[in-house]
Every structure is written in C-alpha cells, then in structure tokens.
Amino acid sequence: MAEERSPIDGQFLRQLELLDFQLTQQMKGRLGGMRMSRTRGSSVEWLDFQEYQPGDDPRRIDWNMAARFDSYFIRSFADETRLKTTIYLDASASMAAGTRKRQCALQLAAAFAYLSVSHLDHAVINLLQNARCIPTGGQLYDRPSFYRAVGQMQQIRFQGESDLCAALKNDPEPGRGNGISILISDLMTDSDWQGALTALLARKRQVLLVHLLSPEEMCPPGEAAIRYLDAEEEHGRGIRKQMTHNTQLQYAKALNEWTDSIDAFCRHKGIGCLRAKSDETPADILLRKGLSSGVLI
Amino acid sequence: MTFRHPNGLWILLAIPVLIVLFLLHRKYRNVVLPSNHVWRLLQKMQKSSRLKSRIWQLVMLMLQILAVVMLAMLASQPLFRFGHTEHRIYILDTSASMRMVDANGVTRFDRAKEAILNDASRQANGSLFTLMCTDAAEPLVLESTGNRTELGIGLDGITCSWVEQQPDEVLTLCREMLRSLPAATVCFYTDQDNNGTGIEVINVAADEVNAAVVRLTETHAEMGRRFISSVISYSRDAELTLALYVDDMLLSAQNISCPAGKVVNVPWSLPELAEYNCARVWITQDDALIEDNEAMVFSGKAYEAKTAVISSTPLYWEKAFSSLESVPVSLFSPGSAPEEGYDLYLYDNCLPETLPADGFCMMVNPQEPHPETPVTFGDIKNGGYLSGNNTNPMLADMHCGSIAVHNYRQVTDSADAEKLLFRSSDPVYLRGVTEDGRAWGYLMFDLKESNLPMLPEFILMLKHLVRDICPILCPVSQPEAGVSVALQPLHNYTSLRVTAPDGSLMSLGDTPVFTPALPGLYHLTQYAARGIFESTVQVRVPEAEGDSRPHTLSCSLPEASGSDASEYGVAGMSLQVLWAALFLLFVLTEGMVYRHERI
C-alpha cells in the first residue's frame, strides 16, 4: 500500500536526474530550455559564422575573423529550447491486470515525466482509453507541478479497451517536431498499434515505445484444464486450454514471434523500444534496460 | 450370444468411468489474464490444429471404450452361434440320489434321460450332441454325434450308481472339450442347484418324501442290550413307524414324529436279550428311496483268539484272559506245549523248541534268546519304571510310566524288532517276524517281580495283543457305498472273498481293500490256515446321496491352472490380471489423450 501511495521515491528521482533522453534529432521547442534547437538563438553554444548583413547586431561581429579575411562575419549561436514530452499511457483494463502492471505503468510514466521536468522540459501525460485521449495532471513544468500530477495519477482508473490509433488522433495538443512521444502500453489490442506509432512519427517527434508486459502474459499460469478470461472482456468465453508443457512452449513461441515483430517494426521506423516486465522495478527498467538499449544516456 | 464367463461383463462398468473422466477433463478452471491477445494470435496461427486436437481427443476416447469392450469380451468369452445348429454337451448326474422316485414311481434319473432326449429333439438338424456322465471312471459316453438314435442308445447304456459323486472330473473333461468347441453349450442334468458359471443346470429334483435310518448303534446297557437308531426325514415332516428286528425276529416297534431335516435318535431297550447276531431297524413306510430305510448292526463278535499258556504258574494268566471276550485259554505245563492249533502261544519263563507256524509266540522272561529270533541278550540289569509310546496301538490307553520292574534282562541286539516298552533305552517289550513269517514277542522281565499283573495296563496289554493277532475283519461297522474300507484280515490269511448284495463274488487277493458299490449286506469270507471265517457287514447309502432335497452345486467349469493357464489365454487369466491390464491401457491412452495435446 505504501508503494501504491508513492509511485516513485526520492532516491530514484535523484538517480533519474543523472539521465537524459537520447535525442536523435534537434527539435524546435519553446524558449527557455536546455535543449539545443535547430534555430539560431542566444545561447553560449557556437553554431556557425555568417557574413554580416546590414541589420545584424554589430556586437556579434567577430573581429578576429574580420582582421583575417578583411570581411565582416558575425557569430551565430544555437538557440536553447524547451521540449515537450508527451507521455501516452494506455489506460485499458489489461494494463491494470497482472502483477504490478498498473503500478509499474504509473511509475514509468512518472519517471519519464520527472526526467523531462528535471531537464527543464515540460511534460504532458495523456491517458488512452477506448478512442479517447485524456490529458491528466496538466502541464508539468517544474517539480511542484510534477508532484501535483503524481498525486492525481493515483486516481486514474484503468478500464475498457483502447483503440490506440483513434485515441492518438483525438489528442487535443498533438504538437509537431517539438519533443518526444512516449507510448506506454502492452500493445495487447486488436486495434492498429502500428498505425498509432506511425501517426506519432508523422508529427516529426521522436517516439519511444515502452512495451510493458506482466509475468502472467509472458508465462500463463495454471495446470491442466484452464479457461483464460481476458480482463478487457467482461462477458467473454475466454480461451480454454489444457495447459501442458507443450502448450507452454507453443505460447512462448507465439509470444516471441509477436515481440520480435514489434521490435522489427520499431527498428524499421526508428522508434526506440524498451520492453519491460511489470514485476521489475522502474529503476531496473530505466537504469539498466534504458541505458543498455540506448534509449537513455 | 451367450457368455462363458458372464462376470467378465462387469468390466463394461469402466466405460461410464471413462466418460466421466473425459467430461471431468473438460471442466476448466477460470484464470483471468490481462489479455488473451497472445492466445488469439496462437489460435490464428494454428487454427486447423485445434480441430485436429478435438478430433484426436474424441478418437482416443472411442479407442479407450473399444479397448474396454474388447477386454470385457475377452474376459466373458462370448459364444457365437452361427446359423441354428449348435453343439450341446449333456452331462447326466449318475449319483445315487438320482434314484429318488416321484409320486408316479419315476426316478430322477429317468426324468433326466427323458429331458435330454426332448432337448435333443428340439435342436435343429445338424446339431451335434456329446453325452457324459458323472462317473469318474468313464465320464465320456458318446462324443459328437448328430444321430439322436445313438444318443438314446447311449443314454440307455448309462446306469445310476450307488455312490456319492462329484462332478469335478467330468467338468474338467468338459473344459478340455470346450477348448476345441468354444461355442458348445454344457447342459448338466442333475438334482442339485447351481451357483457356478459356464454351465446350464437343469434340476430334475421334485419334492419327494424320503426318510432314512442313517445309523444304528449298540450302546452300553446294565441288563440285556440297548440300541440307538438315528432317523431323519428329508424335505418334510413325517410320521414314521420303526420296527426292530433281531436275528430276523420282530421284537419291538415305535411310532415317531420326525421333523424335516433333523436327526431323531430313537432308543431301543431289550433287557432280556443276551446274545444276538444281527439287529435291524426298518422304516415300514415306502418312500422315494427305500434302500436307506433300514440300518443293521452286528454283534461285532470278534474272531476267537485261541490261546495256549505254557507256564508253571498259569493262574494269573488265566484270570487275566478271562476278562477278555472271545479268548478261550488252554493251560499247559512247560514240557507239554502244543506246536500248532492256536493263535497265541504264551511261554512264561520257558522257551519253545521251535517257533509255532500258525500263531504268535509270546515269550515272557526268557533266560536266553530263542535261536530262531534275531536278538541277543545281555546281562540282568536293575529295573525301575518303564516308558513307552502311547500312540502305538499296542499300547493305546495304557499308562506305561506306572509299570515298574525289579530287574530285567538286557537286549543287546534287536535290529528288525519293533520295540514297544523301554527301561531307560533298553527295550523290554519287543516283537517281530522271522523270515519265514512266524511272529514272536519278548517280555524281558518276570511278571512276578513287577507290578504289572496288578495294574489295569496288564489287561489292556493282553487285549491289544489279542486284537492285533486276531483283528476284526471290517473296522467300520456301517460303511458307505463308494467309500473304500481297508480290511484287517488274519496275518496268515490266504485269501478274502466278498459276496455283494446282487450275488456277485469278488476276490480281494493280496490287497485287502474293499470298495462297495451297492448298498446292502456284504458277506466277507476269510480263508486262513486255521479254517474259513465269515462275517457280514451292511453297506449304507451315502448320507449325502440319500438326501432327496436339491443340493447346492458350488462347482463351475474349473479354471485352468499351472501350465494349462497359458493355453487358455484370457479364460485362464485371473481377474487381477485383467484389472491390471485395463488400468495399464487406461493410463496409456489417458496420457495420449490429455498429455500430448496439440494446440
């Protein structure tokens, strides 16, 4: 219960402050951040020389270059920008079933939000439920807003199914080229998850997929005759199986083929993919898997 | 279709068990997973395999049921009859009880014969008949004939015996025949009920009235004679009139009420009767089996043992022998001993010149061994209390430890002799037979210097000695028909002849074993060196065969055993083996159905 009340602890937050997203492209964000922007600005980060044009600020003329080339050049600096990290959390019923799956999803969302806030970015957490995209916790600019949002995250109800593609289209502030989109989902949906990820990529944003699976999904429990009921299907007939060693092998094979297809899709599209198991701690997932996979630095 | 072992059909009960197990395996426990997405992917990938899996389960269930049915068929051994012809094996009970007659005067035996002929006439042309009887000596009468006339002739040739018979032998033969004729039907015509298997029993017994005098014995009486007759009425209560004949004279009669199935003892007191030869109790009413309506008892007067006592002091010998019946004693002085004509020669403190050839020579306190006996004597030794084995008939009922002697002469070598009494380990009473058949005995102490003449053991010892020399020829007073009796002839008899009630004469030769086949009076004639001796014995109907009520036949076609077991295959398999095979089969198929599932 203590863990339910506090999805993320202080020590882990301090460790998170040492990490950052591995950005593969420069993006155009809002002013006042710590990220290098594609636009020229007033940061101390030298970007290039430009021949002086009338109207340029004479204070930016590099006089050493003028003496050497007998022509005026001004120094241009990269602009520092604040990116927007949009965290899409799959809030379907399947994300609440299984060992610590709900808790792990919330912790990861909070961790990614804190990672952004600690680097002066701002973050948004959107819940994907059925075909809706529901912002929750507001804009997260600083630690107070982060902690406020974390407090509200405990009220999130995971229910129904999720149509990822339709929900993402309903994002009220989708943004374009201004940050990172992180999708936390188990992808166990009949909807077009590939289309959803492609839609995110189409916004010129860096996309990170956190594929969260519970131990029950990776190795279904039970012996002999079992009827597996889907948490998202209240009145479904489920799937009846005689759980044997052979069956387990077949299941593991199907699961591997599915995850391999996800990995291949992400690799092909340039999407970062982080597969997590819900009984692992967020520290394990981010500090170990995140670093080793190159998603974080 | 009939079954040789219908109990094997119990195996079919395993089928509902299999079906219940099959259905139980289809009971699923609910487990909630976050999502069945992967399962659905798996089903899409292998949709055809699911159908195969279900068909496979059903096929394996069918195979299980088929295996159980086959096991049941193997165990119960169905007998298929193709067409309408069949092979019928008739077994006719020829025991004495089949002689019972009904109210019309027809015996069970005749009714059984008629039933067999009727059954044969109902069979289709081309059917085969085998005729057997329960006579163990010759059970197979007619083998595999389709001619009903031959069957009738075969039936006419069977006679009903007077002895008790068990059908085991003929059923064993039946089993042998059924190996080659598995579809044959065995019909047993008898007067017994059946709870066995594999036989069709036709009970021909009716509710006849039958009473019997099962026993007549003489008991002790203060005056005269007293007899006890045991009477029984089978099947129903009866008012009976009994008559007692002594030596063919009617001396008494009684009316009694005899409840069904209970033996009633009827006493007969004849205070004025001194001597008799034969007493007979007779039920005056005729009934289903008149042969068991009378019982006889003979006075049992033993064969007289003529005894010669050669002694200088014979008076206590004479007194002792006078208490024994049928022992005429002749006294002689040592110098005038007879050489022949006696059954027992008793030499007290003296020896014969030669051992007599026709009797037993008993030598008491001899000073030296007789040269014709293979013994050597030692010194005179101090005596004491004697010992002996009471299980020996010669010492029956004797308390040997109470006999004390002052001294005795030691026997140092007595290789072939039978030793009866001992002082320490030295024999003091021994006997034997010379190579030419002359019997001898030694008592190695002086009677006057022992307490033996004052003890009852002295009379008992002489009695046993006399009965051993001259035994009662037939030790069983009322033998049963069909039961062998070992006769006890004189040791020097030359031949034995038996005259049966039907007048037939039979010589027993060297083996004095007498097996009466018929009930009634048998005359036994014994030829010995001293003359010809005759005695009479009544042979009774066996008590079990005299019972007119239907008995319970607890036998069935015997199972094979030993080396035969393998030849009979499943028929010879025990039920445990069948169950074990069934269990193994179930486990194997169970594993195939439920463990090697294909998704």
Side-chain angles (χ1 to χ4, degrees):
Chain A
M1 291 300 292
E3 194 181 20
E4 288 285 331
R5 286 191 299 270
S6 174
I8 199 157
D9 60 33
Q11 185 181 358
F12 176 54
L13 293 180
R14 282 191 293 277
Q15 289 175 324
L16 280 179
E17 289 173 0
L18 302 176
L19 300 179
D20 195 1
F21 291 109
Q22 172 76 53
L23 296 177
T24 56
Q25 59 191 23
Q26 286 185 336
M27 281 167 285
K28 180 183 171 185
R30 293 186 180 182
L31 294 176
M34 292 173 62
R35 308 287 182 190
M36 296 298 294
S37 173
R38 285 176 296 178
T39 59
R40 289 173 172 77
S42 56
S43 71
V44 295
E45 194 71 28
W46 174 78
L47 189 64
D48 200 358
F49 290 103
Q50 283 183 318
E51 198 170 354
Y52 175 78
Q53 299 293 331
D56 288 342
D57 188 357
R59 290 176 295 181
R60 292 169 60 190
I61 294 176
D62 189 332
W63 296 105
N64 291 332
M65 290 286 288
R68 193 176 306 162
F69 296 105
D70 195 18
S71 181
Y72 297 109
F73 291 89
I74 61 171
R75 287 175 290 185
S76 62
F77 294 88
D79 195 8
E80 286 187 326
T81 187
R82 167 181 289 214
L83 298 183
K84 179 183 178 184
T85 302
T86 307
I87 301 166
Y88 297 101
L89 177 59
D90 183 356
S92 63
S94 66
M95 290 293 286
T99 306
R100 288 190 72 253
K101 197 173 178 185
R102 175 181 182 277
Q103 186 66 14
C104 187
L106 292 177
Q107 285 177 331
L108 285 174
F112 284 122
Y114 186 79
L115 199 59
S116 297
V117 169
S118 66
H119 289 85
L120 300 182
D121 295 331
H122 73 273
V124 174
I125 298 176
N126 292 330
L127 302 183
L128 304 181
Q129 208 163 59
N130 299 323
R132 293 183 300 159
C133 181
I134 309 165
T136 182
Q139 300 280 345
L140 280 62
Y141 289 102
D142 49 14
R143 285 185 173 82
S145 61
F146 166 76
Y147 286 115
R148 192 167 53 249
V150 165
Q152 293 176 3
M153 283 169 71
Q154 296 303 316
Q155 313 303 322
I156 295 174
R157 292 184 65 192
F158 290 71
Q159 59 188 4
E161 300 180 21
S162 60
D163 185 346
L164 296 180
C165 199
L168 286 173
K169 285 178 182 172
N170 293 329
D171 185 0
E173 294 181 15
R176 185 173 180 82
N178 60 348
I180 305 173
S181 298
I182 301 173
L183 176 60
I184 302 174
S185 173
D186 54 10
L187 297 186
M188 292 199 170
T189 173
D190 293 331
S191 66
D192 183 13
W193 57 268
Q194 292 101 328
L197 289 172
T198 307
L200 289 179
L201 281 175
R203 295 173 187 168
K204 305 294 184 185
R205 291 165 62 88
Q206 185 168 333
V207 179
L208 172 62
L209 170 66
V210 180
H211 190 203
L212 183 63
L213 294 175
S214 69
E216 293 82 0
E217 288 161 336
M218 302 183 86
C219 182
E223 293 179 350
I226 301 285
R227 177 189 283 119
Y228 290 110
L229 299 175
D230 196 324
E232 296 181 357
E233 297 175 359
E234 291 183 0
H235 305 293
R237 292 177 59 193
I239 290 181
R240 289 174 293 184
K241 283 293 169 191
Q242 293 289 339
M243 200 59 184
T244 63
H245 179 65
N246 191 27
T247 315
Q248 287 176 333
L249 291 178
Q250 296 285 343
Y251 184 90
K253 185 181 173 187
L255 181 70
N256 285 337
E257 285 184 10
W258 181 56
T259 54
D260 287 348
S261 71
I262 294 172
D263 290 342
F265 178 81
C266 291
R267 199 163 43 246
H268 175 67
K269 295 288 186 181
I271 298 172
C273 181
L274 184 61
R275 179 155 298 109
K277 203 172 167 187
S278 65
D279 59 348
E280 295 173 326
T281 63
D284 275 346
I285 296 168
L286 295 182
L287 300 180
R288 186 169 57 80
K289 288 186 176 177
L291 287 173
S292 62
S293 64
V295 172
L296 301 177
I297 54 173
Chain B
M1 182 173 68
T2 57
F3 298 93
R4 186 174 297 166
H5 302 291
N7 284 336
L9 294 177
W10 286 105
I11 294 177
L12 291 176
L13 287 178
I15 291 177
V17 175
L18 281 177
I19 293 174
V20 167
L21 283 173
F22 180 79
L23 293 176
L24 281 178
H25 275 82
R26 293 171 65 89
K27 289 278 183 184
Y28 294 91
R29 186 167 63 86
N30 289 344
V31 169
V32 178
L33 282 184
S35 175
N36 281 336
H37 184 71
V38 180
W39 282 122
R40 287 193 290 270
L41 290 176
L42 194 57
Q43 286 180 341
K44 282 179 188 171
M45 289 161 59
Q46 300 174 329
K47 200 164 185 176
S48 61
S49 296
R50 289 177 58 210
L51 184 62
K52 280 183 189 173
S53 171
R54 291 196 174 182
I55 293 174
W56 176 254
Q57 283 188 8
L58 284 174
V59 166
M60 291 312 295
L61 177 67
M62 294 298 121
L63 284 176
Q64 279 184 323
I65 292 174
L66 183 65
V68 170
V69 170
M70 288 183 69
L71 268 176
M73 292 297 110
L74 283 171
S76 58
Q77 293 196 324
L79 305 175
F80 297 98
R81 297 192 179 92
F82 302 101
H84 296 290
T85 63
E86 63 176 305
H87 193 132
R88 294 182 82 77
I89 298 175
Y90 297 116
I91 304 175
L92 181 57
D93 187 356
T94 56
S95 62
S97 61
M98 292 292 282
R99 290 178 180 268
M100 300 280 182
V101 295
D102 60 8
N104 299 322
V106 182
T107 65
R108 295 175 180 174
F109 190 68
D110 291 335
R111 290 203 301 275
K113 284 182 175 179
E114 189 178 350
I116 289 175
L117 287 174
N118 289 338
D119 184 79
S121 65
R122 284 195 298 270
Q123 304 305 319
N125 288 334
S127 299
L128 293 175
F129 311 107
T130 294
L131 182 61
M132 305 173 86
C133 67
T134 55
D135 184 1
E138 196 173 355
L140 186 59
V141 179
L142 194 63
E143 187 173 6
S144 298
T145 179
N147 191 337
R148 290 172 180 77
T149 308
E150 281 186 25
L151 180 66
I153 294 171
L155 284 170
D156 289 341
I158 301 176
T159 55
C160 195
S161 77
W162 276 107
V163 298
E164 187 177 358
Q165 291 179 338
Q166 295 296 331
D168 288 346
E169 288 84 0
V170 69
L171 291 181
T172 304
L173 184 61
C174 253
R175 187 190 63 185
E176 296 290 334
M177 296 181 70
L178 286 174
R179 288 175 59 192
S180 55
L181 304 166
T185 304
V186 180
C187 303
F188 188 15
Y189 288 80
T190 181
D191 55 359
Q192 302 182 10
D193 290 331
N194 176 44
N195 59 3
T197 56
I199 317 170
E200 186 180 328
V201 173
I202 296 92
N203 193 333
V204 295
D207 191 17
E208 301 108 345
V209 179
N210 183 35
V213 182
V214 295
R215 203 172 298 108
L216 177 62
T217 54
E218 183 184 357
T219 61
H220 174 72
E222 294 293 332
M223 291 181 62
R225 302 285 177 171
R226 189 168 189 269
F227 301 99
I228 300 287
S229 57
S230 301
V231 183
I232 186 170
S233 173
Y234 301 112
S235 74
R236 64 172 64 172
D237 297 348
E239 297 291 331
L240 301 175
T241 302
L242 303 180
L244 172 66
Y245 288 79
V246 176
D247 293 336
D248 292 332
M249 290 184 63
L250 178 61
L251 293 189
S252 181
Q254 295 187 46
N255 289 322
I256 63 164
S257 295
C258 196
K262 290 187 176 177
V263 175
V264 177
N265 291 323
V266 182
W268 305 87
S269 292
L270 301 171
E272 295 178 354
L273 180 64
E275 295 291 331
Y276 73 101
N277 182 35
C278 173
R280 178 168 68 102
V281 168
W282 177 49
I283 299 173
T284 57
Q285 292 93 339
D286 286 341
D287 61 6
L289 188 68
I290 60 172
E291 283 80 1
D292 60 2
N293 286 6
E294 67 174 0
M296 293 183 188
V297 62
F298 295 89
S299 61
K301 195 173 178 181
Y303 166 76
E304 283 190 344
K306 288 183 67 178
T307 302
V309 176
I310 301 98
S311 173
S312 54
T313 54
L315 289 179
Y316 58 92
W317 288 109
E318 188 180 17
K319 283 289 181 188
F321 280 118
S322 67
S323 61
L324 302 179
E325 288 186 3
S326 308
V327 184
V329 178
S330 301
L331 304 177
F332 297 94
S333 60
S336 59
E339 293 183 351
E340 60 180 6
Y342 290 89
D343 296 302
L344 171 61
Y345 299 87
L346 205 152
Y347 287 86
D348 186 11
N349 283 300
C350 59
L351 287 176
E353 290 184 5
T354 59
L355 290 176
D358 58 348
F360 184 85
C361 181
M362 185 71 184
M363 294 161 278
V364 180
N365 193 26
Q367 302 303 310
E368 57 187 12
H370 192 280
E372 295 178 53
T373 57
V375 294
T376 53
F377 288 175
D379 298 331
I380 292 177
K381 298 184 74 172
N382 289 331
Y385 286 101
L386 305 185
S387 62
N389 184 5
N390 285 71
T391 58
N392 191 314
M394 292 294 290
L395 303 177
D397 302 326
M398 286 176 60
H399 185 227
C400 301
S402 62
I403 304 171
V405 297
H406 180 256
N407 52 41
Y408 66 98
R409 187 174 293 278
Q410 188 182 22
V411 176
T412 55
D413 184 13
S414 56
D416 299 328
E418 180 189 8
K419 290 101 178 167
L420 298 170
L421 280 176
F422 298 87
R423 167 58 195 159
S424 298
S425 60
D426 295 328
V428 294
Y429 180 20
L430 61 162
R431 64 177 188 166
V433 180
T434 62
E435 290 180 354
D436 55 357
R438 286 176 291 179
W440 55 267
Y442 282 117
L443 199 61
M444 300 302 299
F445 54 88
D446 193 347
L447 285 178
K448 293 189 288 294
E449 295 185 351
S450 78
N451 66 348
L452 181 59
M454 291 174 283
L455 297 175
E457 275 71 17
F458 186 47
I459 308 298
L460 282 172
M461 189 174 78
L462 293 179
K463 182 181 175 183
H464 295 326
L465 179 64
V466 167
R467 283 291 159 258
D468 186 61
I469 295 167
C470 302
I472 296 173
L473 182 58
C474 185
V476 183
S477 62
Q478 292 171 329
E480 290 184 349
V483 179
S484 297
V485 179
L487 299 179
Q488 298 176 344
L490 295 167
H491 77 276
N492 53 0
Y493 82 103
T494 54
S495 67
L496 268 175
R497 287 185 182 174
V498 178
T499 306
D502 59 356
S504 61
L505 191 64
M506 177 173 54
S507 181
L508 297 184
D510 293 334
T511 52
V513 177
F514 162 53
T515 306
L518 303 173
L521 286 179
Y522 281 76
H523 297 283
L524 311 176
T525 308
Q526 182 177 192
Y527 296 84
R530 278 185 49 220
I532 302 170
F533 304 95
E534 291 190 344
S535 58
T536 307
V537 64
Q538 188 206 13
V539 173
R540 296 185 298 114
V541 175
E543 193 168 336
E545 292 299 322
D547 189 349
S548 62
R549 293 170 297 176
H551 304 292
T552 298
L553 180 68
S554 59
C555 58
S556 58
L557 282 180
E559 293 292 332
S561 60
S563 59
D564 286 347
S566 59
E567 297 174 17
Y568 291 98
V570 176
M573 288 170 67
S574 65
L575 200 58
Q576 290 89 339
V577 174
L578 278 176
W579 278 114
L582 183 63
F583 178 73
L584 184 64
L585 184 71
F586 172 74
V587 167
L588 288 177
T589 51
E590 175 75 358
M592 290 173 75
V593 170
Y594 299 113
R595 298 299 168 213
H596 290 236
E597 181 202 9
R598 286 172 173 76
I599 301 169

